[in-house]
Amino acid sequence: MTDTAERKMRFLYALRSRGVTDTRVLTAMERIDRGAFVKGLFADRAYEDMPLPISCGQTISQPSIVGLMTQALSVTPRDKVLEIGTGSGYQAAILSQLARRVYTVDRHRRLVREAQDLFQALNLTNITAFTADGSFGLPDQAPFDRIIVTAAAEDAPGPLLAQLKIGGIMVLPVGQSDTVQSLIKVTRHETGFDYEELRPVRFVPLVEGLGPE
Ligand code: SAH
């Protein structure tokens, strides 16, 4: 077996052993090559289960966390999904395999541009990326069946709750500090929201306004 094939097999094994068991999610993660989303010095560590640095001082999340969040989101092929925190574009690319349409937003123009180039190169035509402050969601495209936030806020932002369809699911990290955060799953019902705490996590913070580049 080639080195790359073996590393990919280990990658999938690590996902399964950390609780990513949904076959559709595993297939999507097998299809989307994380190596394409990591550049420079760290490229040869793309198949390790760890977060890695990307442009603008941000990080591409740990693959098992990407898998667990995607799994918790229960995406169906009819869904319109919103992601806040495009970063490298990796999470959006995985969602594109599972959903009808993916909108992704980042406050850094440069990250959005780089991710758009990758989506085009990989022929992922059902993703639209915008530069914006994602705390306000995307009112023009709302409501959404699923919302995923990949940066941590103190609480679920009100505009995102408002842009979630009834029956919709949102998965996001929340917490008051950089070190103690919980991944939560919010489900919208006819009369309100249900909150379920999934596990401790550590994400970069959700920051107000647009980035400098
Ligand atoms: N999902 C990404 C990882 C995201 S890292 C991936 O798969 O690679 C978190 C991202 O959230 C960063 O790129 C950061 O710029 C972005 N971010 C932080 N605050 C934001 C905000 N208010 N609106 C939009 N994006 C934000």
Side-chain angles (χ1 to χ4, degrees):
M1 200 174 347
T2 64
D3 262 14
T4 318
E6 189 175 336
R7 278 197 291 183
K8 285 188 179 170
M9 211 179 77
R10 280 186 213 281
F11 177 79
L12 289 168
Y13 179 78
L15 291 175
R16 271 193 221 99
S17 69
R18 298 201 162 114
V20 185
T21 51
D22 183 308
T23 321
R24 291 184 65 232
V25 174
L26 285 167
T27 304
M29 293 186 78
E30 190 174 358
R31 242 190 255 148
I32 300 294
D33 182 1
R34 189 171 185 248
F37 296 83
V38 181
K39 283 182 293 200
L41 275 182
F42 296 96
D44 64 337
R45 308 190 72 171
Y47 307 111
E48 292 176 29
D49 191 29
M50 53 197 285
L52 293 170
I54 55 170
S55 313
C56 304
Q58 303 302 313
T59 52
I60 176 171
S61 311
Q62 188 176 344
S64 57
I65 296 293
V66 171
L68 290 170
M69 287 177 82
T70 309
Q71 189 166 281
L73 207 57
S74 309
V75 181
T76 81
R78 294 182 308 278
D79 287 345
K80 182 167 74 169
V81 182
L82 172 65
E83 178 195 28
I84 307 303
T86 311
S88 67
Y90 179 61
Q91 172 77 72
I94 287 161
L95 291 168
S96 78
Q97 305 297 296
L98 301 167
R100 175 171 56 86
R101 177 112 222 117
V102 179
Y103 293 93
T104 181
V105 177
D106 205 286
R107 61 189 288 275
H108 288 285
R109 200 166 283 111
R110 176 169 162 203
L111 291 174
V112 170
R113 217 180 307 118
E114 290 175 359
Q116 278 169 330
D117 289 346
L118 271 172
F119 300 150
Q120 203 171 4
L122 299 173
N123 203 24
L124 304 175
T125 53
N126 62 339
I127 312 177
T128 311
F130 295 99
T131 306
D133 181 347
S135 330
F136 301 103
L138 267 187
D140 289 349
Q141 312 297 338
F144 299 95
D145 301 286
R146 301 288 185 265
I147 300 178
I148 181 169
V149 188
T150 62
E154 277 194 21
D155 250 316
L160 296 184
L161 291 170
Q163 290 173 29
L164 190 61
K165 277 189 198 168
I166 290 172
I169 298 172
M170 169 155 70
V171 172
L172 75 165
V174 294
Q176 301 222 331
S177 79
D178 281 358
T179 48
V180 190
Q181 301 162 359
S182 287
L183 188 65
I184 62 166
K185 173 177 170 176
V186 182
T187 309
R188 183 167 196 172
H189 298 297
E190 291 280 349
T191 51
F193 298 91
D194 260 6
Y195 293 80
E196 185 189 342
E197 207 170 311
L198 301 178
R199 52 171 291 141
V201 282
R202 193 163 174 186
F203 275 84
V204 296
L206 192 72
V207 178
E208 264 177 40
L210 294 188
E213 55 166 350

